[in-house]
Amino acid sequence: MDKICFVVQRYGLDVNGGAEDLCRKLAEHLLPFYDVHVFTTKAKDYISWKNEYHVSYEEINGVKVHRFKNQSRRNEKYLGQVNVDFERYVAGDKEKEEQWVKAQGPYCPGLIEEIKKEKDTYKKFIFFTYLYYPTIFGIPEVKEKAILVPTAHDEPFIHMSILKSVFQQCQSIFYMTDEEKKFVNHLFANDDVMYEIGGSGIEVPDDIHPQRTKKKYELGSYLIYVGRVDEGKNVPLLIKYFNEYKKRNQSGLQLVLIGKQFIDVHGTDDIKVLGFVTEQDKYDLIAGAEALVLPSHYESLSLVVLEAMKLKVPVIASAYCEVVRQHCLKSNGGLYYSNYFEFEGILNWMKSHLNEWIAIGENGKRYVNKNYTWDSIIAKMRVLIEG
């Protein structure tokens, strides 16, 4: 059986992140076809890159995981100064770009050395996310064997000049959506690179108990957000909009936040901050929500949006996130807002059009069932691995 190797910044059952979660699921679904390995770091969080995993090798659900120590913590002081005006101080200067990538981390030169050493051992190396050190410094070492899963979107960092070779020299690219491919092709003129448009298979438990979980967390009617509770995900603006909605409207609606907190959010009767919950509780809570809200402007696929649709839960998304906006348009399984008054309008329309809201949920489920099955996703990835 051929050996393949995923390269990703974090990997584990307790790692919170959409790209990392997709990497793990892809790796596990490829086990019937390949001897699957992962090269990753010993970090659990992307803020500090602190080495929290103590073992250098373990097996997780049949996948062989090799962990490498990060040589430094994330340089928050430097990044804070530079990121304010990234394009002015970094983009276009190769030396400064490389300095930024190492400072941003995870800086794990041992991982790159292992890629060099084991280059001939693996049939393909599958690199997850374009932004991080393992991908940017790893692909040049094995470019003829490199499959890139970029999870790319329009942000300042993607305009670095050193990324041109990353996107042009890899053997192939596994895009999440048509929109991602169009964006990357326009930016890097890499139309000639072999590709597939895949995404992720979407699976949810058959045994869903929203009422039990609502009782457990003392919830009534609520919206739910699932993901990093972080400025980068635009959560503060969601909270601001929700609080304004409660001031302006008589409503018992609550907002539930699930995920690791990177900003301080204090729970109230109206805003429930649950942090990490079990997978079963997560799906139960999504299924019991009036809608899943995604305020982020930058997503390459958004697994949680597709999971909500699979559970027949309508989506309310930021209009500035093109990928999720397209999910809503293609499925008719959600609505989107570009300012507070549109956000308020959606919530009030939801309340007064219950039958239509149920129909929107049904539309979402049909869309996911048609486009996001693991059989189709794995078939597309295998085309690249065998290509």
Side-chain angles (χ1 to χ4, degrees):
M1 187 178 282
D2 288 325
K3 295 172 72 173
I4 62 172
C5 183
F6 284 81
V7 181
V8 65
Q9 59 276 4
R10 299 180 297 154
Y11 190 96
L13 297 174
D14 53 352
V15 166
N16 187 32
E20 291 87 347
D21 186 57
L22 174 56
C23 178
R24 183 174 60 79
K25 289 177 179 177
L26 269 174
E28 291 174 4
H29 278 87
L30 285 166
L31 282 169
F33 310 102
Y34 305 101
D35 181 6
V36 183
H37 294 245
V38 173
F39 287 0
T40 189
T41 75
K42 293 186 175 183
K44 288 185 181 180
D45 78 76
Y46 76 101
I47 296 298
S48 69
W49 301 119
K50 178 182 176 183
N51 295 303
E52 295 187 70
Y53 288 104
H54 300 297
V55 297
S56 297
Y57 174 81
E58 63 178 317
E59 288 195 19
I60 300 177
N61 294 342
V63 176
K64 301 175 177 69
V65 182
H66 308 261
R67 299 191 184 278
F68 299 86
K69 185 178 180 181
N70 290 319
Q71 294 301 311
S72 61
R73 301 279 287 269
R74 195 173 188 181
N75 191 334
E76 283 296 310
K77 183 177 180 181
Y78 165 78
L79 289 170
Q81 293 170 342
V82 171
N83 287 352
V84 173
D85 200 350
F86 178 86
E87 293 178 349
R88 177 180 175 186
Y89 291 108
V90 175
D93 185 319
K94 183 178 179 181
E95 184 177 340
K96 288 184 178 179
E97 288 176 351
E98 290 184 354
Q99 180 186 2
W100 181 87
V101 171
K102 291 176 181 178
Q104 197 232 176
Y107 181 55
C108 46
L111 189 156
I112 305 302
E113 289 302 315
E114 191 71 7
I115 289 174
K116 292 180 187 178
K117 178 182 173 183
E118 299 294 333
K119 176 179 179 179
D120 297 329
T121 302
Y122 295 96
K123 182 181 181 71
K124 287 293 193 301
F125 289 84
I126 304 166
F127 291 85
F128 252 80
T129 73
Y130 81 90
L131 182 62
Y132 294 114
Y133 173 92
T135 294
I136 294 172
F137 285 84
I139 283 181
E141 303 299 335
V142 288
K143 51 181 178 281
E144 70 280 2
K145 291 185 171 185
I147 300 171
L148 173 61
V149 185
T151 64
H153 44 256
D154 193 1
E155 58 184 344
F157 316 119
I158 202 169
H159 298 279
M160 290 189 293
S161 60
I162 59 172
L163 290 173
K164 187 174 183 180
S165 61
V166 171
F167 280 91
Q168 290 183 344
Q169 293 180 7
C170 56
Q171 183 259 343
S172 57
I173 300 179
F174 191 69
Y175 295 106
M176 295 292 103
T177 62
D178 292 308
E179 291 73 34
E180 182 189 16
K181 179 184 180 297
K182 291 174 186 176
F183 168 67
V184 168
N185 288 167
H186 175 74
L187 194 59
F188 296 108
N190 65 340
D191 306 60
D192 58 335
V193 175
M194 183 179 178
Y195 75 92
E196 288 287 338
I197 297 175
S200 172
I202 301 300
E203 296 174 327
V204 298
D206 294 327
D207 193 18
I208 299 290
H209 299 281
Q211 293 304 320
R212 179 189 64 191
T213 311
K214 287 172 76 170
K215 183 178 180 181
K216 174 180 175 180
Y217 292 104
E218 300 179 342
L219 298 172
S221 174
Y222 61 94
L223 308 175
I224 192 165
Y225 167 84
V226 180
R228 297 196 310 269
V229 181
D230 189 1
E231 285 189 17
K233 292 295 186 179
N234 226 19
V235 175
L237 185 62
L238 169 61
I239 293 170
K240 179 181 178 181
Y241 280 8
F242 182 77
N243 284 332
E244 183 67 17
Y245 177 79
K246 294 290 290 189
K247 289 178 184 177
R248 291 168 51 90
N249 298 269
Q250 288 188 339
S251 171
L253 194 65
Q254 296 170 298
L255 174 64
V256 174
L257 306 177
I258 294 177
K260 186 171 182 178
Q261 279 188 256
F262 293 96
I263 56 174
D264 288 331
V265 180
H266 300 292
T268 65
D269 288 341
D270 289 334
I271 300 178
K272 300 288 187 178
V273 184
L274 302 186
F276 277 120
V277 298
T278 66
E279 282 291 289
Q280 183 66 52
D281 279 4
K282 182 190 85 167
Y283 290 117
D284 288 349
L285 286 164
I286 293 173
E290 305 297 331
L292 179 129
V293 186
L294 191 90
S296 171
H297 291 181
Y298 304 114
E299 298 290 332
S300 56
L301 179 66
S302 188
L303 295 175
V304 71
V305 161
L306 298 177
E307 288 172 343
M309 288 183 172
K310 178 82 171 181
L311 291 166
K312 299 192 289 188
V313 176
V315 171
I316 301 173
S318 167
Y320 299 106
C321 184
E322 182 61 16
V323 165
V324 179
R325 191 173 75 89
Q326 288 298 323
H327 282 320
C328 292
L329 288 170
K330 291 173 184 177
S331 67
N332 197 20
L335 301 175
Y336 48 86
Y337 61 90
S338 58
N339 56 51
Y340 167 74
F341 291 104
E342 290 178 0
F343 178 82
E344 180 184 62
I346 290 171
L347 295 188
N348 285 334
W349 188 88
M350 172 186 78
K351 184 169 60 175
S352 60
H353 293 76
L354 296 181
N355 290 335
E356 291 86 349
W357 200 245
I358 291 170
I360 287 174
E362 296 281 357
N363 291 339
K365 182 175 182 177
R366 282 193 291 269
Y367 171 73
V368 173
N369 286 345
K370 180 181 179 181
N371 295 285
Y372 295 100
T373 66
W374 275 117
D375 285 347
S376 64
I377 300 302
I378 293 304
K380 290 177 180 180
M381 176 57 83
R382 291 196 67 201
V383 168
L384 301 184
I385 293 172
E386 298 299 330

